[in-house]
Amino acid sequence: MQNSVFVTSNSPIQTRQIGQMIGDLSRSGDIILLNGPLGAGKTCLAQGIAESLGVQEATASPSYVLMREFSGRIPLYHMDLYRLEFNEISDLGLDDYFYGQGLCVIEWAEKGRAIMPEQHLQLTLFYSSDTTRLVKITPFGERYTLMAKHISQLY
């Protein structure tokens, strides 16, 4: 595991801003894994990423449909594994998306950890208070180490 970077969000607006920074730095083929308890801000972070990519559609949590594909500067594949068991996740054929032309943002990624690409950027959100979140950014791979360093310098 690489060195983690920690940033604090004091509001949903700030959580979206963190997502926007990640989206600004993202390119085709990137993998962003989002973890944390219910209501911690995973979808809010994903919405910030979508906004920075120029996605015009509403990006609600895809919990019930598993994945939504959006058009923007690069395609966005927004996935949510919350309702799935590992055997269901491993049968989805996600490799087409992992190694496709878009950016994969996966909520509840820890449920499918064993099949996730080795190189990725992992964000784990923790409750600090009712309105404050601690975001742990852990890079896996050189590209993601540079992204995490850049985010820590901007934030």
Side-chain angles (χ1 to χ4, degrees):
M1 186 178 291
Q2 305 292 323
N3 293 332
S4 297
V5 170
F6 293 86
V7 296
T8 300
S9 170
N10 294 305
S11 69
I13 290 170
Q14 285 186 336
T15 301
R16 278 185 177 211
Q17 289 171 340
I18 295 167
Q20 288 170 342
M21 281 189 272
I22 292 165
D24 289 345
L25 297 169
S26 294
R27 63 183 186 207
S28 291
D30 281 348
I31 308 289
I32 310 295
L33 307 182
L34 305 179
N35 300 308
L38 278 172
K42 294 178 295 293
T43 299
C44 192
L45 224 162
Q47 289 168 337
I49 293 170
E51 288 170 15
S52 77
L53 296 178
V55 171
Q56 299 297 312
E57 302 167 69
T59 49
S61 176
S63 292
Y64 293 99
V65 294
L66 306 179
M67 190 197 69
R68 291 189 173 140
E69 186 173 340
F70 299 98
S71 295
R73 174 175 57 83
I74 56 175
L76 171 63
Y77 310 128
H78 185 197
M79 303 173 201
D80 188 318
L81 306 180
Y82 177 69
R83 301 194 177 284
L84 300 177
E85 298 298 325
F86 178 75
N87 62 331
E88 296 171 306
I89 295 166
S90 62
D91 290 340
L92 289 175
L94 297 177
D95 283 357
D96 292 342
Y97 296 99
F98 294 156
Y99 304 105
Q101 297 300 310
L103 166 64
C104 290
V105 175
I106 306 161
E107 296 187 38
W108 296 94
E110 68 270 18
K111 295 188 81 174
R113 180 71 185 111
I115 64 163
M116 296 297 157
E118 186 177 314
Q119 295 196 20
H120 60 268
L121 187 66
Q122 178 176 291
L123 288 90
T124 306
L125 290 89
F126 301 95
Y127 284 100
S128 292
S129 72
D130 287 346
T131 58
T132 304
R133 305 292 186 265
L134 182 64
V135 183
K136 179 181 178 184
I137 303 170
T138 307
F140 292 86
E142 186 177 333
R143 164 154 174 65
Y144 300 105
T145 299
L146 294 173
M147 283 178 75
K149 183 178 179 181
H150 192 73
I151 292 164
S152 70
Q153 290 171 346
L154 290 175
Y155 202 79

